[in-house]
Amino acid sequence: GGRIEFRLHDAPDLGAFEDASFDLVYTDLVLQHLPPALARGYLAEFTRVVRPGGALVVGAPDRERRTA
């Protein structure tokens, strides 16, 4: 009943979405796992689809974390 819609997206771009069609674009700990060219492409797409006055939140680690 809300304004959220979930979609499975497997394309290398966000061409299925119109310009300025999102109030919020959020990604956390994902882009660093992509090849650099693909990550840059997604960043460009995120800025294209977020509306003026909307929010774009990108979470990326600033250093490697040691694991056990």
Side-chain angles (χ1 to χ4, degrees):
R3 295 177 25 195
I4 295 174
E5 179 181 332
F6 293 94
R7 292 190 191 186
L8 175 62
H9 185 76
D10 59 1
D13 61 43
L14 300 177
F17 304 105
E18 296 180 22
D19 293 357
S21 58
F22 287 86
D23 295 321
L24 170 67
V25 175
Y26 177 90
T27 182
D28 190 25
L29 301 175
V30 173
L31 295 178
Q32 75 271 15
H33 298 288
L34 301 176
L38 190 57
R40 282 190 298 274
Y42 268 114
L43 284 170
E45 286 288 88
F46 295 158
T47 59
R48 179 184 68 78
V49 300
V50 71
R51 70 171 174 77
L56 170 55
V57 179
V58 178
D62 62 348
R63 63 187 175 280
E64 268 190 54
R65 291 187 180 168
R66 294 183 181 203
T67 58

Coordinates of all heavy atoms in Angstrom, one line a residue:
G1 N 0.8 -1.2 0.0 CA 0.0 0.0 0.0 C 0.8 1.3 0.0 O 0.3 2.3 0.0
G2 N 2.2 1.1 0.1 CA 3.0 2.3 0.1 C 3.5 2.7 -1.3 O 2.9 2.3 -2.3
R3 N 4.5 3.5 -1.3 CA 5.0 4.0 -2.6 C 6.2 3.3 -3.1 O 6.9 3.7 -4.0 CB 5.3 5.5 -2.5 CG 4.1 6.4 -2.3 CD 4.4 7.8 -2.0 NE 5.6 8.3 -2.7 CZ 6.2 9.4 -2.4 NH1 5.7 10.2 -1.5 NH2 7.3 9.8 -3.0
I4 N 6.6 2.2 -2.4 CA 7.7 1.4 -2.8 C 7.4 0.3 -3.7 O 6.4 -0.4 -3.5 CB 8.4 0.8 -1.5 CG1 8.9 2.0 -0.6 CG2 9.6 -0.1 -1.9 CD1 9.5 1.5 0.7
E5 N 8.2 0.1 -4.7 CA 8.0 -1.0 -5.7 C 9.4 -1.7 -5.8 O 10.4 -1.1 -6.0 CB 7.6 -0.5 -7.0 CG 7.4 -1.5 -8.1 CD 7.0 -1.0 -9.4 OE1 6.4 0.1 -9.5 OE2 7.4 -1.6 -10.4
F6 N 9.4 -3.0 -5.6 CA 10.6 -3.8 -5.7 C 10.7 -4.4 -7.1 O 9.7 -5.0 -7.6 CB 10.7 -4.9 -4.7 CG 10.8 -4.3 -3.3 CD1 9.7 -4.1 -2.5 CD2 12.0 -4.0 -2.8 CE1 9.8 -3.6 -1.2 CE2 12.2 -3.5 -1.5 CZ 11.0 -3.3 -0.7
R7 N 11.9 -4.3 -7.8 CA 12.1 -4.9 -9.1 C 13.4 -5.6 -9.1 O 14.4 -5.1 -8.6 CB 12.1 -3.9 -10.2 CG 10.8 -3.2 -10.4 CD 10.9 -2.4 -11.7 NE 9.8 -1.5 -11.9 CZ 9.6 -0.8 -12.9 NH1 10.5 -0.8 -13.9 NH2 8.6 0.0 -13.0
L8 N 13.4 -6.8 -9.7 CA 14.7 -7.5 -10.0 C 15.3 -6.8 -11.3 O 14.6 -6.7 -12.3 CB 14.5 -9.0 -10.2 CG 15.7 -9.8 -10.6 CD1 16.8 -9.7 -9.5 CD2 15.3 -11.2 -10.9
H9 N 16.5 -6.4 -11.2 CA 17.1 -5.7 -12.3 C 18.4 -6.3 -12.6 O 19.3 -6.4 -11.8 CB 17.3 -4.2 -11.9 CG 17.9 -3.4 -13.0 ND1 17.1 -3.0 -14.1 CD2 19.1 -2.9 -13.3 CE1 17.8 -2.3 -14.9 NE2 19.0 -2.2 -14.5
D10 N 18.6 -6.8 -13.8 CA 19.8 -7.5 -14.2 C 20.5 -6.9 -15.4 O 21.4 -7.5 -16.0 CB 19.6 -9.0 -14.4 CG 18.6 -9.3 -15.5 OD1 18.1 -8.3 -16.1 OD2 18.3 -10.5 -15.7
A11 N 20.2 -5.6 -15.8 CA 20.8 -5.0 -16.9 C 22.0 -4.1 -16.4 O 22.0 -3.8 -15.2 CB 19.8 -4.1 -17.6
P12 N 22.9 -3.8 -17.2 CA 24.1 -3.0 -16.8 C 23.8 -1.5 -16.7 O 24.7 -0.7 -16.6 CB 25.1 -3.3 -17.9 CG 24.3 -3.6 -19.1 CD 23.1 -4.3 -18.6
D13 N 22.6 -1.1 -16.9 CA 22.2 0.3 -16.8 C 20.8 0.4 -16.2 O 20.1 -0.6 -15.9 CB 22.3 1.0 -18.1 CG 21.3 0.4 -19.2 OD1 20.2 0.1 -18.8 OD2 21.7 0.2 -20.3
L14 N 20.3 1.6 -16.0 CA 18.9 1.8 -15.5 C 18.0 2.3 -16.6 O 17.1 3.1 -16.3 CB 19.0 2.7 -14.3 CG 19.9 2.3 -13.1 CD1 19.9 3.3 -12.0 CD2 19.4 0.9 -12.6
G15 N 18.2 1.9 -17.8 CA 17.4 2.4 -18.9 C 15.9 2.1 -18.8 O 15.2 2.8 -19.5
A16 N 15.5 1.2 -17.9 CA 14.1 0.9 -17.7 C 13.4 2.1 -17.0 O 12.2 2.1 -16.9 CB 13.9 -0.4 -17.0
F17 N 14.2 3.0 -16.4 CA 13.7 4.1 -15.6 C 13.9 5.4 -16.3 O 14.9 5.7 -16.8 CB 14.3 4.1 -14.2 CG 14.2 2.7 -13.5 CD1 15.2 1.9 -13.4 CD2 12.9 2.3 -13.0 CE1 15.1 0.6 -12.8 CE2 12.8 1.1 -12.4 CZ 13.9 0.2 -12.3
E18 N 12.9 6.3 -16.1 CA 13.0 7.6 -16.7 C 13.9 8.5 -15.9 O 14.2 8.3 -14.7 CB 11.6 8.3 -16.7 CG 10.6 7.5 -17.6 CD 9.2 8.2 -17.6 OE1 9.1 9.4 -17.3 OE2 8.2 7.5 -18.0
D19 N 14.4 9.6 -16.6 CA 15.2 10.6 -15.9 C 14.3 11.2 -14.7 O 13.1 11.3 -14.8 CB 15.5 11.8 -16.8 CG 16.4 11.4 -18.0 OD1 16.9 10.2 -18.0 OD2 16.7 12.2 -18.8
A20 N 15.0 11.5 -13.7 CA 14.4 12.2 -12.5 C 13.2 11.5 -12.0 O 12.2 12.1 -11.6 CB 14.1 13.7 -12.9
S21 N 13.2 10.2 -11.9 CA 12.0 9.4 -11.5 C 12.1 8.9 -10.1 O 11.1 8.2 -9.7 CB 11.8 8.3 -12.5 OG 12.9 7.4 -12.6
F22 N 13.2 9.1 -9.3 CA 13.3 8.6 -8.0 C 13.5 9.7 -7.0 O 14.3 10.6 -7.2 CB 14.5 7.6 -7.9 CG 14.2 6.3 -8.6 CD1 14.4 6.1 -9.9 CD2 13.7 5.2 -7.9 CE1 14.2 4.9 -10.6 CE2 13.4 4.0 -8.5 CZ 13.7 3.9 -9.8
D23 N 12.9 9.6 -5.8 CA 13.1 10.5 -4.7 C 14.4 10.1 -4.0 O 15.1 11.0 -3.5 CB 12.0 10.5 -3.7 CG 10.7 11.0 -4.3 OD1 10.7 11.9 -5.1 OD2 9.6 10.4 -4.0
L24 N 14.7 8.8 -4.0 CA 15.9 8.3 -3.3 C 16.6 7.2 -4.1 O 15.9 6.3 -4.6 CB 15.5 7.8 -1.9 CG 16.6 7.0 -1.2 CD1 17.7 7.9 -0.7 CD2 15.9 6.2 0.0
V25 N 17.9 7.3 -4.2 CA 18.7 6.2 -4.8 C 19.7 5.9 -3.7 O 20.4 6.8 -3.2 CB 19.4 6.6 -6.1 CG1 20.3 5.5 -6.5 CG2 18.4 7.0 -7.2
Y26 N 19.7 4.6 -3.3 CA 20.5 4.2 -2.2 C 21.3 2.9 -2.6 O 20.7 2.0 -3.0 CB 19.6 3.9 -1.0 CG 20.4 3.4 0.2 CD1 20.9 4.2 1.2 CD2 20.6 2.0 0.4 CE1 21.6 3.7 2.3 CE2 21.2 1.5 1.5 CZ 21.8 2.4 2.5 OH 22.4 1.9 3.5
T27 N 22.6 3.0 -2.4 CA 23.4 1.8 -2.6 C 24.5 1.7 -1.5 O 25.0 2.7 -1.1 CB 24.1 1.7 -4.0 OG1 24.8 0.5 -4.2 CG2 25.0 2.9 -4.2
D28 N 24.7 0.5 -0.9 CA 25.6 0.4 0.2 C 26.5 -0.8 0.0 O 25.9 -1.9 -0.1 CB 24.9 0.4 1.5 CG 25.8 0.5 2.7 OD1 26.9 1.1 2.6 OD2 25.4 0.0 3.8
L29 N 27.8 -0.7 0.0 CA 28.7 -1.8 -0.1 C 28.5 -2.7 -1.3 O 28.5 -3.9 -1.2 CB 28.7 -2.6 1.2 CG 29.0 -1.8 2.4 CD1 28.9 -2.6 3.7 CD2 30.4 -1.2 2.4
V30 N 28.2 -2.1 -2.5 CA 28.0 -2.8 -3.7 C 28.9 -2.4 -4.8 O 29.6 -3.3 -5.4 CB 26.5 -2.6 -4.2 CG1 26.3 -3.3 -5.5 CG2 25.5 -3.1 -3.2
L31 N 29.1 -1.2 -5.0 CA 29.9 -0.7 -6.2 C 31.3 -1.2 -6.2 O 31.9 -1.4 -7.2 CB 29.8 0.8 -6.3 CG 28.4 1.4 -6.6 CD1 28.5 2.9 -6.6 CD2 27.8 0.9 -7.8
Q32 N 31.9 -1.4 -5.0 CA 33.3 -1.8 -5.0 C 33.5 -3.2 -5.5 O 34.6 -3.6 -5.7 CB 33.9 -1.6 -3.6 CG 33.5 -2.6 -2.6 CD 32.2 -2.3 -1.8 OE1 31.5 -1.3 -2.2 NE2 31.9 -2.9 -0.7
H33 N 32.4 -3.9 -5.6 CA 32.5 -5.3 -6.1 C 32.4 -5.4 -7.7 O 32.5 -6.5 -8.2 CB 31.4 -6.2 -5.5 CG 31.6 -6.3 -4.0 ND1 32.6 -7.0 -3.4 CD2 30.8 -5.7 -3.0 CE1 32.5 -6.9 -2.1 NE2 31.4 -6.2 -1.8
L34 N 32.1 -4.3 -8.3 CA 31.9 -4.2 -9.7 C 33.2 -3.8 -10.4 O 34.0 -3.1 -9.8 CB 30.8 -3.2 -10.1 CG 29.4 -3.5 -9.5 CD1 28.5 -2.4 -9.9 CD2 28.9 -4.8 -10.0
P35 N 33.4 -4.1 -11.7 CA 34.5 -3.6 -12.5 C 34.4 -2.1 -12.5 O 33.2 -1.5 -12.5 CB 34.3 -4.2 -13.9 CG 33.5 -5.4 -13.7 CD 32.6 -5.1 -12.5
P36 N 35.5 -1.3 -12.4 CA 35.4 0.1 -12.3 C 34.5 0.8 -13.4 O 33.8 1.7 -13.1 CB 36.9 0.6 -12.5 CG 37.6 -0.6 -11.9 CD 36.9 -1.8 -12.3
A37 N 34.6 0.4 -14.6 CA 33.8 1.0 -15.7 C 32.3 0.8 -15.4 O 31.5 1.7 -15.7 CB 34.2 0.4 -17.1
L38 N 31.9 -0.4 -14.9 CA 30.5 -0.6 -14.6 C 30.1 0.2 -13.4 O 29.0 0.8 -13.5 CB 30.3 -2.1 -14.4 CG 28.9 -2.6 -14.3 CD1 28.1 -2.3 -15.5 CD2 28.8 -4.1 -14.0
A39 N 30.9 0.3 -12.4 CA 30.6 1.1 -11.3 C 30.4 2.6 -11.7 O 29.4 3.2 -11.2 CB 31.6 1.0 -10.2
R40 N 31.3 3.1 -12.5 CA 31.1 4.5 -13.0 C 29.8 4.7 -13.8 O 29.1 5.7 -13.6 CB 32.3 4.9 -13.9 CG 33.6 5.2 -13.1 CD 34.6 5.8 -13.9 NE 35.1 4.9 -15.0 CZ 36.1 4.0 -14.9 NH1 36.7 3.9 -13.7 NH2 36.4 3.3 -15.9
G41 N 29.5 3.7 -14.6 CA 28.2 3.7 -15.3 C 27.0 3.8 -14.4 O 26.1 4.5 -14.7
Y42 N 27.0 3.0 -13.4 CA 25.9 3.0 -12.4 C 25.8 4.3 -11.7 O 24.8 4.9 -11.5 CB 26.0 1.8 -11.5 CG 25.2 0.6 -11.9 CD1 25.9 -0.5 -12.2 CD2 23.9 0.7 -12.1 CE1 25.2 -1.7 -12.7 CE2 23.1 -0.4 -12.5 CZ 23.8 -1.6 -12.8 OH 23.1 -2.7 -13.2
L43 N 27.0 4.9 -11.3 CA 27.0 6.2 -10.7 C 26.3 7.3 -11.6 O 25.5 8.1 -11.2 CB 28.4 6.6 -10.3 CG 28.9 5.9 -9.0 CD1 30.4 6.3 -8.8 CD2 28.1 6.4 -7.8
A44 N 26.7 7.2 -12.9 CA 26.1 8.1 -13.8 C 24.6 7.9 -13.9 O 23.8 8.9 -14.0 CB 26.7 8.0 -15.2
E45 N 24.2 6.7 -14.0 CA 22.7 6.3 -14.0 C 22.0 6.8 -12.8 O 20.9 7.3 -12.8 CB 22.5 4.8 -14.2 CG 22.9 4.4 -15.6 CD 21.8 4.8 -16.6 OE1 21.9 6.0 -17.2 OE2 20.8 4.1 -16.9
F46 N 22.6 6.6 -11.6 CA 22.0 7.0 -10.3 C 21.7 8.5 -10.4 O 20.7 9.0 -10.0 CB 22.9 6.7 -9.1 CG 23.1 5.3 -8.9 CD1 24.2 4.9 -8.2 CD2 22.3 4.3 -9.3 CE1 24.5 3.5 -7.9 CE2 22.5 2.9 -9.1 CZ 23.6 2.6 -8.4
T47 N 22.7 9.3 -10.9 CA 22.5 10.8 -10.9 C 21.4 11.1 -12.0 O 20.7 12.1 -11.8 CB 23.8 11.5 -11.2 OG1 24.4 11.1 -12.4 CG2 24.8 11.3 -10.1
R48 N 21.3 10.3 -13.0 CA 20.3 10.6 -14.0 C 18.9 10.4 -13.5 O 18.0 11.1 -13.8 CB 20.6 9.7 -15.3 CG 19.5 9.9 -16.4 CD 19.8 8.9 -17.5 NE 19.5 7.5 -17.2 CZ 18.3 7.0 -17.1 NH1 17.2 7.7 -17.3 NH2 18.2 5.7 -16.8
V49 N 18.7 9.3 -12.7 CA 17.3 8.9 -12.3 C 16.9 9.6 -11.0 O 15.7 9.6 -10.8 CB 17.2 7.4 -12.2 CG1 17.4 6.7 -13.5 CG2 18.0 6.8 -11.1
V50 N 17.8 10.2 -10.2 CA 17.3 10.9 -9.0 C 16.7 12.2 -9.4 O 17.3 12.9 -10.2 CB 18.4 11.0 -8.0 CG1 19.5 11.9 -8.3 CG2 17.9 11.3 -6.6
R51 N 15.6 12.6 -8.8 CA 15.0 13.8 -9.2 C 15.7 15.0 -8.5 O 16.4 14.8 -7.5 CB 13.5 13.8 -8.7 CG 13.3 13.9 -7.2 CD 11.9 14.1 -6.8 NE 11.7 14.0 -5.4 CZ 12.1 15.0 -4.5 NH1 12.6 16.1 -5.0 NH2 11.9 14.9 -3.2
P52 N 15.6 16.2 -9.1 CA 16.1 17.4 -8.4 C 15.5 17.5 -7.0 O 14.3 17.4 -6.8 CB 15.7 18.6 -9.3 CG 15.4 17.9 -10.7 CD 14.9 16.5 -10.4
G53 N 16.4 17.7 -6.1 CA 16.0 17.8 -4.7 C 15.9 16.4 -4.0 O 15.6 16.3 -2.8
G54 N 16.1 15.4 -4.8 CA 16.1 14.0 -4.2 C 17.4 13.7 -3.5 O 18.3 14.6 -3.4
A55 N 17.6 12.5 -3.0 CA 18.8 12.1 -2.3 C 19.4 10.9 -3.0 O 18.8 10.0 -3.4 CB 18.4 11.8 -0.9
L56 N 20.7 11.0 -3.2 CA 21.6 9.9 -3.7 C 22.5 9.6 -2.6 O 23.4 10.4 -2.2 CB 22.3 10.4 -4.9 CG 23.4 9.4 -5.5 CD1 22.8 8.1 -5.8 CD2 24.0 10.0 -6.8
V57 N 22.4 8.4 -2.1 CA 23.3 7.9 -1.0 C 24.1 6.7 -1.5 O 23.6 5.7 -1.9 CB 22.4 7.4 0.2 CG1 23.3 6.9 1.4 CG2 21.5 8.5 0.7
V58 N 25.4 6.9 -1.4 CA 26.4 5.9 -1.9 C 27.3 5.5 -0.7 O 28.0 6.3 -0.2 CB 27.2 6.3 -3.1 CG1 28.2 5.3 -3.5 CG2 26.3 6.7 -4.2
G59 N 27.2 4.2 -0.3 CA 28.1 3.8 0.8 C 29.2 2.9 0.2 O 28.9 2.0 -0.6
A60 N 30.4 3.3 0.5 CA 31.6 2.5 0.0 C 32.6 2.5 1.1 O 32.8 3.5 1.8 CB 32.1 3.1 -1.2
P61 N 33.3 1.4 1.3 CA 34.4 1.4 2.3 C 35.5 2.3 2.0 O 35.8 2.6 0.8 CB 34.8 -0.1 2.3 CG 34.5 -0.6 1.0 CD 33.3 0.2 0.5
D62 N 36.1 2.9 3.0 CA 37.2 3.8 2.8 C 38.6 3.1 3.1 O 39.6 3.6 2.9 CB 37.2 5.0 3.7 CG 37.2 4.7 5.2 OD1 37.0 3.5 5.5 OD2 37.3 5.6 6.0
R63 N 38.5 1.8 3.5 CA 39.7 1.0 3.7 C 39.3 -0.5 3.8 O 38.1 -0.8 4.0 CB 40.4 1.4 5.0 CG 39.6 1.2 6.2 CD 40.4 1.7 7.5 NE 39.6 1.6 8.6 CZ 38.6 2.5 9.0 NH1 38.3 3.5 8.2 NH2 37.9 2.3 10.1
E64 N 40.2 -1.4 3.6 CA 39.9 -2.8 3.8 C 39.8 -3.1 5.2 O 40.5 -2.6 6.1 CB 41.1 -3.6 3.2 CG 40.9 -4.0 1.8 CD 41.9 -5.0 1.3 OE1 42.0 -6.1 1.9 OE2 42.5 -4.7 0.3
R65 N 38.9 -4.0 5.5 CA 38.7 -4.5 6.9 C 39.3 -5.9 7.0 O 39.1 -6.7 6.1 CB 37.2 -4.5 7.3 CG 36.7 -3.1 7.4 CD 35.3 -3.2 7.9 NE 34.7 -1.8 8.1 CZ 33.5 -1.6 8.3 NH1 32.6 -2.6 8.4 NH2 33.1 -0.3 8.4
R66 N 40.0 -6.1 8.0 CA 40.6 -7.4 8.2 C 39.5 -8.4 8.7 O 38.6 -8.0 9.4 CB 41.7 -7.4 9.3 CG 42.9 -6.6 8.8 CD 43.9 -6.6 9.8 NE 45.1 -5.8 9.4 CZ 46.3 -5.9 9.8 NH1 46.6 -6.8 10.7 NH2 47.2 -5.2 9.3
T67 N 39.6 -9.6 8.2 CA 38.6 -10.6 8.7 C 39.4 -11.7 9.4 O 40.6 -11.8 9.3 CB 37.9 -11.2 7.5 OG1 38.8 -11.8 6.6 CG2 37.1 -10.2 6.8
A68 N 38.7 -12.5 10.2 CA 39.3 -13.6 10.9 C 39.8 -14.7 10.0 O 39.4 -14.9 9.0 CB 38.3 -14.1 11.9

